[in-house]
Amino acid sequence: MSETIKLYTDLGNFRAFKILISAEYNNVSIEIPEFKLGVDNLSKEFLAKNPLGRVPVLETSQGVITESNAIARYIARLRPDIGLYGKTFYDSAVIDSWIDYNSHDIELPATLLLYPILGYTAYNEVIANKAKNDLTKVFQLLNNYLKEKTYLVGESISLADITIATTLIYPLKFVLDGEFRKPFINVIRWFDTLVNQPEFIAVVGTVVYAEVELKAPGVQATNTSKPAQVQSKEPKEKKEKKAKEPKAEKPKEEKPKEEKAPKKKAKDDDDDEPEPDYQEKKAEHPFKLLDKTSPTTFVMDTWKKTYSNTDDYRVAMDYFWSNFDPSGWSLYRGDYLYNDELKVLFMTSNLIGGFIQRTEEIRKWLFGTMTIRGEEGKFLKVTCYYLIRGDSIQPLIDCNDDAACYQWTKLPVPVSDEDKELVYTYWCSEGPLEGEPNLDSRVYK
């Protein structure tokens, strides 16, 4: 390509790897200006390109592209003949599904595990253990999927392979040692195939696996290298149940009437037979039962549509307060317990994004926002305001383990004017939030 393309990113940013490797495959020339995170991304010139101050950012002759996945997709599509984005619309959709899986299920635990080691955040044992458990599940899923496959999509390397492999480079280099890797032979075979390609080596060099798990500064080395005790999800072979013999042992002279009773009993006595499906139905969700036993006048679906389609949030909030049913719903404020560990904005954005992804089970009965305020590099604060069915926040904690990392405060009813204004500010405004800049906000609806 003849046009000049510039990629603004800090050195070693794993989110830039997939972009640069895709460019190597597609023979796209990318200029990488010298860039210092925490300085250049806060300049007026850069904020004009991306007001969020995040990297990577791609500058083209047509304009600026932000967010690493969008940039990687753009570069991959520049050469359809190479096929990084699939050869059919179906392939492209499957590639997208793997990219989304990477964003939701791999990046978050990978960064939570790595950043304390790299000195970006303080170490928290609970978070680190959960992150490693989550990565174990990722490796199990990939190992089963790759059992009879060379690549994730189709018969050649695609953006799906590039995206997930580059996310796993640092974990495999610094944390996931030999004991961890041992059960996942299919993943390691696939990973080796990728990182030894010339296009990968040109960007990331030679990848050397971790021999010993690195620890965060001040953390004593312990024998935690083995994956969490979660059994491989490789389906176990079930022994086929032998069909019941058609009662050949019964004497023929038995009357037909007497045969019917044993037939019925044989089914009852067969301990190996599964119970009928209707007996194995899971209990209804407590919120479903609550809807039946204690109907509410507040209709969540109507509120979500009102909020989404309004031109004036003040009007929408007037509707909310006039229809709010405090006997059937509660408002909770949640403040993250470990705000003092948050310094990097994009990692904190991943934190709240992951929280939202893990709360799908109760979407019908939950609405709210998750916000980040403060100043990157100095202090960041995560606060959420949620409307939830019932009178307890516990169903949210049961649904999403991350909710246990928040201090929850129930808004008293009747809701005061001061609290109403805070709810409006967090749900509807762009800030400031309690006198501090609103750096990121996600709506859960």
Side-chain angles (χ1 to χ4, degrees):
M1 293 184 62
S2 56
E3 74 164 308
T4 300
I5 299 178
K6 291 183 180 180
L7 182 68
Y8 296 90
T9 184
D10 52 320
L11 289 175
N13 186 336
F14 75 89
R15 290 184 174 88
F17 290 165
K18 60 195 168 194
I19 299 166
L20 297 172
I21 292 170
S22 297
E24 289 289 328
Y25 275 100
N26 284 349
N27 197 26
V28 175
S29 178
I30 295 182
E31 179 184 339
I32 308 176
E34 186 175 340
F35 194 89
K36 186 176 181 181
L37 196 63
V39 178
D40 296 323
N41 62 309
L42 303 179
S43 68
K44 289 184 178 180
E45 182 182 3
F46 184 83
L47 291 174
K49 305 180 196 297
N50 184 2
L52 295 176
R54 290 203 293 252
V55 292
V57 167
L58 192 74
E59 191 175 54
T60 74
S61 59
Q62 296 173 294
V64 168
I65 304 172
T66 62
E67 304 302 329
S68 63
N69 287 337
I71 298 170
R73 288 183 173 106
Y74 172 80
I75 298 296
R77 288 183 175 123
L78 290 176
R79 289 284 304 275
D81 56 312
I82 301 298
L84 286 184
Y85 211 67
K87 296 179 180 178
T88 66
F89 289 138
Y90 174 79
D91 285 348
S92 298
V94 177
I95 289 168
D96 278 337
S97 71
W98 281 111
I99 293 173
D100 288 348
Y101 174 70
N102 182 74
S103 297
H104 300 154
D105 292 83
I106 306 180
E107 280 193 7
L108 180 61
T111 52
L112 289 175
L113 195 59
L114 278 167
Y115 284 168
I117 294 170
L118 300 176
Y120 295 162
T121 60
Y123 176 80
N124 180 291
E125 185 178 9
V126 173
I127 292 175
N129 288 340
K130 186 178 187 307
K132 197 164 188 182
N133 285 338
D134 289 344
L135 278 180
T136 301
K137 295 173 185 177
V138 167
F139 272 70
Q140 289 171 339
L141 184 147
L142 290 173
N143 202 59
N144 292 337
Y145 182 84
L146 291 165
K147 187 175 182 180
E148 296 180 0
K149 295 178 183 293
T150 305
Y151 305 106
L152 293 175
V153 182
E155 300 301 323
S156 60
I157 293 174
S158 72
L159 186 58
D161 299 292
I162 295 170
T163 299
I164 293 180
T166 52
T167 303
L168 294 176
I169 284 175
Y170 285 155
L172 286 167
K173 283 184 70 171
F174 300 125
V175 184
L176 307 178
D177 61 11
E179 281 298 311
F180 181 98
R181 299 190 301 268
K182 189 183 296 183
F184 308 120
I185 56 174
N186 301 322
V187 179
I188 300 306
R189 180 253 306 156
W190 163 81
F191 186 82
D192 281 338
T193 299
L194 295 172
V195 297
N196 285 297
Q197 300 297 316
E199 293 82 2
F200 274 76
I201 294 173
V203 174
V204 300
T206 300
V207 176
V208 179
Y209 290 112
E211 293 184 7
V212 178
E213 178 182 354
L214 290 184
K215 297 290 182 181
V219 178
Q220 289 185 349
T222 56
N223 187 20
T224 58
S225 60
K226 291 185 180 181
Q229 296 300 312
V230 181
Q231 291 186 349
S232 172
K233 293 188 178 179
E234 191 97 43
K236 294 181 179 179
E237 290 188 12
K238 293 183 178 179
K239 294 182 180 179
E240 292 188 7
K241 294 176 183 175
K242 294 183 180 180
K244 283 282 184 181
E245 294 294 330
K247 304 195 183 295
E249 72 280 2
K250 292 282 182 183
K252 286 186 178 180
E253 55 270 8
E254 280 194 280
K255 294 179 182 179
K257 285 184 180 178
E258 292 178 357
E259 284 181 10
K260 287 183 181 177
K263 276 186 181 177
K264 206 168 188 180
K265 188 177 180 183
K267 192 171 183 179
D268 294 337
D269 288 347
D270 185 2
D271 292 336
D272 292 332
E273 283 291 327
E275 291 293 321
D277 287 344
Y278 67 84
Q279 293 185 11
E280 290 187 353
K281 276 189 175 179
K282 290 183 179 179
E284 284 191 291
H285 193 282
F287 283 154
K288 281 189 177 180
L289 294 175
L290 191 61
D291 288 342
K292 292 178 181 178
T293 59
S294 302
T296 173
T297 57
F298 182 86
V299 182
M300 176 65 92
D301 189 53
T302 303
W303 160 241
K304 289 181 177 180
K305 289 177 180 176
T306 301
Y307 178 90
S308 299
N309 298 324
T310 189
D311 294 324
D312 186 338
Y313 282 116
R314 287 290 182 187
V315 173
M317 291 307 297
D318 286 342
Y319 168 87
F320 174 80
W321 294 119
S322 63
N323 288 276
F324 175 55
D325 172 20
S327 65
W329 300 82
S330 301
L331 285 161
Y332 277 88
R333 174 186 173 123
D335 290 289
Y336 190 57
L337 293 172
Y338 309 105
N339 283 326
D340 57 330
E341 299 176 3
L342 306 178
K343 297 292 187 292
V344 183
L345 180 58
F346 76 84
M347 186 188 103
T348 310
S349 295
N350 284 345
L351 179 76
I352 65 174
F355 186 104
I356 286 174
Q357 289 295 329
R358 293 176 176 86
T359 315
E360 185 65 29
E361 179 185 333
I362 59 172
R363 181 176 291 274
K364 287 177 61 178
W365 304 279
L366 191 72
F367 171 87
T369 59
M370 304 204 57
T371 60
I372 304 170
R373 67 188 194 278
E375 184 177 350
E376 185 172 23
K378 293 185 178 180
F379 69 94
L380 298 174
K381 299 176 183 176
V382 174
T383 297
C384 48
Y385 271 83
Y386 275 116
L387 170 70
I388 189 170
R389 186 74 163 97
D391 60 0
S392 172
I393 199 66
Q394 190 60 43
L396 175 58
I397 298 173
D398 293 340
C399 165
N400 182 353
D401 291 342
D402 293 352
C405 296
Y406 289 75
Q407 176 67 49
W408 295 100
T409 305
K410 187 176 181 179
L411 272 60
V413 291
V415 181
S416 66
D417 290 340
E418 182 181 357
D419 281 338
K420 285 183 179 180
E421 189 60 28
L422 272 175
V423 172
Y424 171 82
T425 302
Y426 276 90
W427 280 5
C428 305
S429 79
E430 295 182 0
L433 303 175
E434 300 182 62
E436 296 165 344
N438 181 0
L439 303 180
D440 195 4
S441 180
R442 311 285 178 92
V443 180
Y444 183 90
K445 59 184 178 179

